[in-house]
Amino acid sequence: MSHIIHRHLRQVPPVAVSAQGMMVRDSCGNTYIDACGGAAVSSLGHGHPDILTAMHRQIDRNAYAHTAFFTTDVAEELAERLAAGAPDGMTKVYLVSGGSEAMETALKLARQYFVESGEPQRSVFIARRQSYHGNTLGALAVGGNEWRRKPFAPLLMDVPRVAPCYEYRDRAEGQTVEDYTDGLLQELEAAILAAGPHKVIGFCAEPVVGATGGAIPPTPGYFRGVRALCDKYKILFIADEVMCGMGRTGTMYALEQEGVAPDIVAIAKGLGAGYQPIGAVLAQAALVERIRNGSGAFLHGHTYIGHPVAAAAALAVQKVIERDDLLSAVRLRGEAFKRMLRDAFGKHEHVGDIRGRGLLLGLEMVRDRATKEPFDPARKLHAAIKSRAMANGLMVYPMGGTIDGRRGDHILLAPPYIVTDNDLHEIVSRLHDAINAALAFGAKTANSD
Ligand SMILES: Cc1ncc(COP(=O)(O)O)c(C=O)c1O
């Protein structure tokens, strides 16, 4: 009996004993192709020699320094590199230990900016339904995934919520993409006005929705419209690129493809590529300057911020991405992967949508392709696909509640940037078998009911 509080208290997952490249091995000798990087984390695959060397070197030099006493060369160099590659003006960096911490930091930085700007009445964040921003109380509060929030709702701040940009389900037949996008922006503007623009701190959104939506990209112009509204009402645009950033969609930041810069961006996952727990917040210099000229200190901090070994790993990851031109690889392999998925599932009666950007792709499962009717949530198709895939030596990241936190199933795919075309063929083939086995099993149980 395990003493760990595992994610599922009635199941103990397989014991991972080693991992190399695209493969993870468990204690029973089973191997798994990692087609999801865990949760879109392992962007360089496993056991990358350059990252291990950088970490070993840092451990031998200096494994820990508390940021209340010291900074370190490696944290400074990482911040400098991140700032140099970030969208316009985002030159200030706060290093944390993961995505939820990054979002908490973003929310507090935004609030303190307004407090120090003489606008302490600003206390409202606006966010989108079906978003995921992390599991700590602040991040969970802005997140819009109902089943995750529900048990904790009395502890969470109120957050007005608008519709996600979810064209597959929400664009009406006959409606143009422009009209659909305009409607979303009108809804956001109405939410800002309803809250009172002078009370709003900012708008939070994932540029490409990951875990809860299954790789949902925005429509053209959506984020330009968001930026314009934030400017109009002088509120901050907080982008959550924890999953979609750091090259995952083919550019270092997903928002680059939208032609806009946020005021604050949260990153994690691919930043350390799983070699160390690390996240970061990047902010517009002017925002941090306001606090520097005011109280002079950001009222925040954790014991492990700016951890030197984590910084060394993340710095090495950035260098490998640049040296090996992995952003081009993500774009190329991403296109190839999408083509293969379309060949394999484009006509599958239960795959309603194949979507995403770069190597962040998703399949949305439906009972009926024509009506887009989802499967009965009680069937837990996503869970069945995950376990069939694992039995088939394949790691994918399926999730339920795609539509509204309760209904809908999707499968998220986020292989490492080093994936080859051969790996992709193998992934598609195993996924095909897993999906069909899960559907066949579900059909059999449904018939025997
Ligand atoms: C968009 C987004 N934000 C925040 C988080 C939370 O990150 P973490 O699990 O590292 O706390 C996640 C994790 O999946 C995420 O996808």
Side-chain angles (χ1 to χ4, degrees), residues 7 39 97-103 131-136 139 148 206 208-212 240-244 266 268-269 278 397:
R7 285 178 182 246
S97 303
S100 303
E101 266 189 26
M103 278 307 291
S131 55
Y132 181 58
H133 297 299
N135 261 332
T136 48
R148 286 176 208 254
E206 292 165 80
V208 177
V209 182
T212 47
D240 181 348
E241 295 217 6
V242 165
M243 185 177 276
C244 63
K269 297 189 184 269
I278 183 166
Y397 187 15

Side-chain angles (χ1 to χ4, degrees), residues 172-191:
E173 228 178 286
Q175 190 181 27
T176 64
V177 178
E178 291 73 23
D179 282 351
Y180 168 62
T181 307
D182 283 351
L184 293 174
L185 295 170
Q186 280 161 22
E187 186 187 345
L188 175 57
E189 183 159 26

Side-chain angles (χ1 to χ4, degrees), residues 208-385:
V208 177
V209 182
T212 47
I216 307 179
T219 53
Y222 173 78
F223 277 108
R224 275 198 302 282
V226 164
R227 178 72 269 178
L229 285 174
C230 290
D231 291 343
K232 180 172 173 186
Y233 293 107
K234 298 188 168 35
I235 66 178
L236 301 179
F237 172 25
I238 300 168
D240 181 348
E241 295 217 6
V242 165
M243 185 177 276
C244 63
M246 296 293 98
R248 179 53 62 195
T249 65
T251 44
M252 197 46 103
Y253 295 86
L255 272 183
E256 285 173 46
Q257 293 172 52
E258 306 310 307
V260 297
D263 296 293
I264 298 178
V265 63
I267 54 176
K269 297 189 184 269
L271 174 61
Y275 288 88
Q276 284 287 290
I278 183 166
V281 162
L282 277 79
Q284 291 288 343
L287 222 131
V288 178
E289 202 53 20
R290 178 70 50 86
I291 299 176
R292 195 169 85 91
N293 293 332
S295 68
F298 178 30
L299 285 174
H300 196 52
H302 301 284
T303 299
Y304 293 118
I305 59 174
H307 196 285
V309 182
L315 181 59
V317 169
Q318 303 311 303
K319 288 180 178 171
V320 168
I321 289 176
E322 188 181 324
R323 184 196 67 197
D324 297 350
D325 193 16
L326 290 180
L327 294 183
S328 300
V330 171
R331 289 193 287 269
L332 269 171
R333 294 277 115 64
E335 282 310 309
F337 198 12
K338 214 187 245 178
R339 269 198 308 276
M340 290 179 206
L341 290 168
R342 289 201 169 129
D343 287 347
F345 300 109
K347 295 202 173 74
H348 193 292
E349 62 173 322
H350 295 303
V351 177
D353 195 24
I354 300 169
R355 58 186 176 231
R357 287 212 181 140
L359 285 173
L360 186 62
L361 299 179
L363 306 183
E364 183 164 337
M365 306 302 297
V366 287
R367 214 170 94 87
D368 184 317
R369 261 169 81 104
T371 62
K372 303 183 185 176
E373 182 197 344
F375 281 95
D376 179 355
R379 184 166 164 175
K380 292 194 181 341
L381 179 65
H382 57 282
I385 293 173

